[in-house]
Amino acid sequence: MDWKSFLNKTKKDFVSLSKEIPDTFKGFSIMGNEAKKSGLIDEKTKEFVALGIAISTRCESCIGLHVESLIRLKTTRNELIEVLAMCSYMGGGPSITFSTKALEAFDQLNS
């Protein structure tokens, strides 16, 4: 998969849908901004949690978007791989498959 093209299309699709349901997107954005604030747990850790959930629910768009956030937060490839090992352990075969997608996304989006 070409993750850059995939995420560009995803973001365009979000813009189109947000025009149809603006209040829903506004509420989702407010909730997301509040949830991601650093507090007792920093934003990077929260993004790792979100990536784990994205892998377990098999949401490719979510994987790409959270990998983008982790890159912005200066995540190393080795940190990501360590988290992917835990995701794979907890989710078995399906999570291993989607962990490979997360690593592929990281490599493509981080270049």
Side-chain angles (χ1 to χ4, degrees):
M1 174 185 313
D2 178 341
W3 283 91
K4 290 179 184 179
S5 295
F6 176 73
L7 286 179
N8 285 335
K9 182 181 181 323
T10 297
K11 291 172 186 176
K12 287 178 186 174
D13 291 345
F14 285 174
V15 169
S16 295
L17 185 58
S18 72
K19 290 176 183 173
E20 301 298 326
I21 53 172
D23 290 341
T24 301
F25 270 78
K26 182 179 177 185
F28 187 73
S29 178
I30 290 168
M31 184 174 54
N33 289 336
E34 186 63 30
K36 290 186 254 184
K37 283 183 185 175
S38 288
L40 297 175
I41 300 171
D42 66 359
E43 183 183 1
K44 188 175 185 178
T45 302
K46 291 177 180 187
E47 285 294 340
F48 279 134
V49 171
L51 179 60
I53 294 167
I55 288 169
S56 69
T57 60
R58 301 173 188 95
C59 178
E60 290 178 336
S61 297
C62 301
I63 289 169
L65 293 169
H66 292 293
V67 165
E68 271 189 337
S69 292
L70 286 163
I71 290 168
R72 174 182 53 79
L73 294 166
K74 308 293 185 213
T75 299
T76 67
R77 191 173 192 274
N78 287 337
E79 287 175 312
L80 181 76
I81 288 170
E82 193 168 316
V83 168
L84 295 178
M86 182 55 97
C87 293
S88 297
Y89 162 67
M90 291 302 296
S95 289
I96 288 173
T97 300
F98 279 79
S99 289
T100 66
K101 292 177 181 290
L103 183 58
E104 177 186 66
F106 184 88
D107 288 342
Q108 286 184 25
L109 297 171
N110 199 32
S111 61

